[in-house]
Amino acid sequence: MTMHKAKLSESEAIFSMYEQAVKIMKDQGIDQWDEKYPSHDQLVEDIENEELYVYTEDDTYLAAIVLNEDHDKETEKIPWNYTDGPSLIIHRLVVHPEARGKGLAKKLLAFAEDFAHEHGYNQIRLDTYKINVGAVKLYEKTGYELRGEMDLGKEHPFVCFEKNMKVASKAGK
């Protein structure tokens, strides 16, 4: 299994992984993502910005994560605890439905934490749909602290988490 920065030539395969994840989420009654988001164009932009990373094994796309400093305007209302220096923001974390249960989401979080340490980020922030119980539990279990909720126009709010990287241990280690 290898982790690498995604290439444009991989965009269709990566998008297919997201589409399959959206289908499973819908089957579970989680409308966090849909046919419009994340879009192929969004993923191409992530790749062009060199912000999308993927786990692959034998040419199979197993998981992906986007890392950057971009945040929703709504997060400005969240009472963040750690505000010293830049924040690394996690977006569009996905595990292929057939690869679930192998600890890949934890590995993605550990990758993000290593990335944060290497690039001088003092904290990591992320959000997920409140009814996405699996994601909420994962973030809590790996040391991310709940900071608040925001409305992004869905039926349920999104919950925002943060982790102080100055004292944080590795999520997947």
Side-chain angles (χ1 to χ4, degrees):
M1 201 170 352
T2 60
M3 180 77 153
H4 67 272
K5 197 177 287 187
K7 302 176 205 95
L8 277 176
S9 61
E10 300 173 298
S11 68
E12 291 297 330
I14 294 167
F15 182 62
S16 175
M17 176 176 53
Y18 278 91
E19 285 181 313
Q20 292 176 53
V22 167
K23 182 185 181 323
I24 294 298
M25 290 169 73
K26 281 186 170 190
D27 290 347
Q28 296 171 336
I30 302 170
D31 64 337
Q32 177 174 345
W33 292 347
D34 54 30
E35 297 80 23
K36 296 178 186 174
Y37 181 88
S39 69
H40 184 266
D41 288 346
Q42 176 66 64
L43 298 176
V44 166
E45 183 178 324
D46 294 337
I47 293 169
E48 288 174 341
N49 291 336
E50 299 186 358
E51 298 170 341
L52 194 151
Y53 298 85
V54 290
Y55 262 120
T56 59
E57 184 175 52
D58 300 326
D59 298 323
T60 301
Y61 293 83
L62 302 176
I65 190 170
V66 174
L67 303 174
N68 61 37
E69 295 181 20
D70 299 340
H71 62 276
D72 289 305
K73 188 164 179 56
E74 293 296 318
T75 64
E76 294 171 8
K77 300 172 188 169
I78 300 299
W80 302 109
N81 270 5
Y82 311 111
T83 57
D84 182 29
S87 300
L88 180 65
I89 313 297
I90 293 176
H91 303 278
R92 295 177 279 290
L93 186 153
V94 66
V95 175
H96 192 291
E98 293 176 10
R100 289 186 178 177
K102 297 180 180 181
L104 292 176
K106 276 187 172 180
K107 287 183 180 185
L108 290 173
L109 293 175
F111 174 80
E113 291 176 22
D114 288 342
F115 185 96
H117 284 297
E118 290 168 17
H119 293 88
Y121 290 100
N122 294 327
Q123 57 273 337
I124 297 178
R125 295 179 179 161
L126 56 86
D127 64 74
T128 193
Y129 204 36
K130 188 173 186 171
I131 64 168
N132 189 341
V133 177
V136 171
K137 285 181 181 177
L138 169 70
Y139 301 137
E140 290 173 340
K141 190 168 134 180
T142 53
Y144 287 79
E145 301 168 24
L146 180 63
R147 294 292 176 234
E149 297 182 357
M150 64 180 174
D151 180 6
L152 293 180
K154 295 279 188 174
E155 183 179 349
H156 301 280
F158 282 71
V159 288
C160 299
F161 292 89
E162 110 184 294
K163 188 171 192 176
N164 182 351
M165 294 314 301
K166 291 182 180 180
V167 299
S169 61
K170 303 276 189 294
K173 298 186 179 173

